[in-house]
Structures are given as C-alpha cells and as structure tokens.
Amino acid sequence: LGIPKGVMNNYTQNCRDIEGRKHAHLKGVIDPTEFLPEGHVFIPGFIAQEDGEKQKIRRLFSECFATMLVSRSPAVEPTDIKMLPVVNRKPEKMPEETWDWLCSLDFGHIIFAMPSE
C-alpha cells in the first residue's frame, strides 16, 4: 500500500486515545485550478498549534503535514488506501491569487490533483 509499517503501528496504538486521534472525514473534490502536481492533495483550512512559547498560532493545515493517509469510504480493496504527498506551498506556475483563494477555503475538503491524460 505504500504505507510504512511504523505509521500503521503508531496509528493503531494512538487512535484508541482521544488525544492521539488525528483523522477526519473529508469530502474529496478534483482540483478546480488544475495547478496542483499530479498525485498530490491539498487540504484547505487552518489549525491552531503551539509555538515554542506555548502560544497558539494559526497555520495552514497543509503546512503541518508532508503526507496524508487517504482512503475511500468504504475502503474494500487494498488500493483504496494510499499515502499521498500534501501540497504545502504554492506550486511554481500557480498564480498568487489562485493560491490565496485555495488557502481561503474552509476545512472539510481534500482537493485531489487533476490526473494527466
């Protein structure tokens, strides 16, 4: 599946504790901009994280993760689960105003790059 065994073991252990749960049900949509790199995803929205001084700061959700474990619902085949890279900075050819628009969307969607022909 391309998912390191350590990632699965860590999830299996931590998902039983409310503090260890790091999953959500998102609605998948195709990239309306056609600028996201193939095989990548973008997850809009912000999360609060503590900086070095224990102060809450807002960070773009996608900046906080390099990869994301993504599955269909329901997942019935091994190929229904993938570890995908997350776009966490503006793609080189994407206009700034398009990036700003993507970043302004609310959390709740996972945007899949448009597959090439």
Side-chain angles (χ1 to χ4, degrees):
L1 298 176
I3 303 162
K5 189 170 181 77
V7 170
M8 291 304 295
N9 290 341
N10 187 39
Y11 178 78
T12 301
Q13 290 173 345
N14 292 328
C15 74
R16 296 180 185 139
D17 174 17
I18 192 72
E19 294 296 319
R21 292 186 188 160
K22 299 199 183 330
H23 56 264
H25 186 87
L26 304 174
K27 181 171 289 237
V29 297
I30 197 74
D31 174 23
T33 72
E34 299 184 18
F35 283 106
L36 296 179
E38 186 174 358
H40 288 64
V41 295
F42 179 78
I43 302 167
F46 290 88
I47 63 172
Q49 286 193 323
E50 291 183 359
D51 66 8
E53 299 174 11
K54 303 282 185 189
Q55 295 179 350
K56 295 284 185 184
I57 55 172
R58 275 176 41 117
R59 292 190 58 200
L60 186 63
F61 186 91
S62 289
E63 289 177 354
C64 301
F65 302 95
T67 57
M68 190 66 53
L69 181 65
V70 177
S71 71
R72 293 178 184 256
S73 180
V76 294
E77 298 289 332
T79 55
D80 290 344
I81 303 171
K82 298 185 185 299
M83 185 71 87
L84 297 174
V86 176
V87 174
N88 53 25
R89 64 177 61 96
K90 182 180 83 61
E92 187 176 316
K93 294 181 180 180
M94 181 183 280
E96 192 70 39
E97 59 273 5
T98 302
W99 177 247
D100 291 344
W101 176 77
L102 270 183
C103 293
S104 74
L105 298 173
D106 292 331
F107 181 78
H109 294 89
I110 180 168
I111 301 172
F112 293 90
M114 180 85 65
S116 63
E117 305 268 344

